Amino acid sequence: MRRVILALALALAPGCSRDGAPEHMQRARDAIFEKRPDEALVEYRKALDALRLDDSAQAQVLKARALKGAADVYWLELRKVKEAVSVYKELITQCPESPEALEGRVVLAELLRVHFRDLRGAIDQLTAALARNPPQSAELHYQVAKLYFELQDYQQCVLESRKLVERFATSAFVDDAIYLQAQALHMQALKAEPGSPEVPRFRQEASRTYADLITRFPDSELAPHAVFETGKLKAEAGDNEKAIETWVQALKNHPEPATVQDAIARARRRIAATTPEEVGSRASAFARPQAGPPPRNSIEAVGGSADERDHGD
């Protein structure tokens, strides 16, 4: 009798029901393979119900997998963004230390950025993911820097880009980060108050950063773009001759030569418009033509003769 009672107690104890969870999860995976996502969601929910009262470590592993599986079905199979966001958040709340939660944060950040324009929320998710030091840290850090650029927080974008270059010097994202940093500095120059001493400073820093990219990564696909942007900085500073020289260099391997040629043509027009000869010819175009010598007095001006000056009142 005591053995029967013990067996019943074990059967009713929290945790015993998890034995059915793996079966439900396997059925969910089978349903996904067979293109039956709604049935997969039902099976994942049954698995979670089976694990509801189980606080064991094994149950937490299964729970994280079930929540991640359900969230993925909502997003990847059904394209139900709101439902997917809700379940990814549930996964992060219930199983914050799980590998699935780390993956969920990355997906959630993208959903928040693309579908809700919640750039701050996306940054928060990626920052939390980075705190776990995942293998793809350099890529996630680059995504954070780009989000700050989208927010037009160019100062923070510069800081994040520099951090990436310092911490992940051998990463494939270093040239991207340097280019992004230069762009952010360029935008700071454009956004600064005209005439402010900050404008030339930002331009110089941006130019140095582009030059750093070109020197360190001459074979990068971003190198010709960096050359072109350097020309833009020179043109904005009023040095059209140097801008043209730089753009001619960019023509050698820029993927869009027509864009470069258009910039060169515009710079040449600006130079022509400010040369003394051009300014003189433009000024003369506004002068009133005169058929003969100018009238010497008011009577001659209205058609009278010089002699009438002495006779008429």
Side-chain angles (χ1 to χ4, degrees), residues 63-83:
K63 187 181 296 183
R65 291 175 182 172
L67 286 167
K68 175 67 162 48
D72 287 346
V73 168
Y74 275 124
W75 168 229
L76 299 175
E77 305 297 329
L78 298 174
R79 295 295 175 179
K80 293 185 176 181
V81 178
K82 290 178 64 175
E83 291 82 352

Side-chain angles (χ1 to χ4, degrees), residues 199-221:
V199 174
R201 181 175 70 82
F202 285 135
R203 282 181 183 151
Q204 289 168 7
E205 287 189 37
S207 184
R208 283 196 297 266
T209 307
Y210 283 128
D212 183 36
L213 169 62
I214 296 163
T215 301
R216 292 175 60 180
F217 303 96
D219 298 325
S220 169
E221 63 180 12

Side-chain angles (χ1 to χ4, degrees), residues 228-241:
F228 179 72
E229 294 298 321
T230 301
K232 287 172 63 175
L233 286 164
K234 295 181 185 301
E236 289 165 12
D239 195 344
N240 289 295
E241 294 283 0

Side-chain angles (χ1 to χ4, degrees), residues 1-10:
M1 179 62 70
R2 291 179 61 186
R3 290 179 181 177
V4 173
I5 294 173
L6 179 60
L8 288 171
L10 290 172

Side-chain angles (χ1 to χ4, degrees), residues 53-212:
L53 299 177
D54 191 340
D55 295 326
S56 67
Q58 181 60 26
Q60 284 296 103
V61 170
L62 294 174
K63 187 181 296 183
R65 291 175 182 172
L67 286 167
K68 175 67 162 48
D72 287 346
V73 168
Y74 275 124
W75 168 229
L76 299 175
E77 305 297 329
L78 298 174
R79 295 295 175 179
K80 293 185 176 181
V81 178
K82 290 178 64 175
E83 291 82 352
V85 167
S86 177
V87 181
Y88 281 126
K89 288 182 176 180
E90 184 179 354
L91 164 63
I92 292 165
T93 300
Q94 293 195 28
C95 312
E97 302 302 318
S98 66
E100 290 79 10
L102 175 60
E103 296 172 15
R105 285 187 185 279
V106 176
V107 178
L108 179 57
E110 184 67 7
L111 294 179
L112 292 174
R113 182 186 74 84
V114 174
H115 296 277
F116 297 94
R117 297 304 299 164
D118 183 2
L119 305 185
R120 295 286 181 187
I123 289 172
D124 289 343
Q125 293 300 328
L126 292 177
T127 301
L130 282 166
R132 302 285 304 280
N133 195 28
Q136 71 273 38
S137 288
E139 179 181 1
L140 298 184
H141 206 131
Y142 178 64
Q143 295 298 330
V144 169
K146 284 207 305 182
L147 285 166
Y148 278 115
F149 191 93
E150 284 191 63
L151 281 168
Q152 299 184 25
D153 189 344
Y154 301 117
Q155 182 177 3
Q156 191 64 34
C157 177
V158 169
L159 293 175
E160 297 296 336
S161 300
R162 285 175 178 165
K163 285 180 188 176
L164 190 158
V165 174
E166 292 169 3
R167 295 179 184 177
F168 308 100
T170 60
S171 167
F173 287 90
V174 171
D175 58 336
D176 299 270
I178 294 174
Y179 187 80
L180 182 63
Q181 177 185 335
Q183 284 190 308
L185 288 164
H186 194 167
M187 290 303 301
Q188 284 182 288
L190 293 173
K191 295 289 185 180
E193 190 72 25
S196 165
E198 295 294 300
V199 174
R201 181 175 70 82
F202 285 135
R203 282 181 183 151
Q204 289 168 7
E205 287 189 37
S207 184
R208 283 196 297 266
T209 307
Y210 283 128
D212 183 36

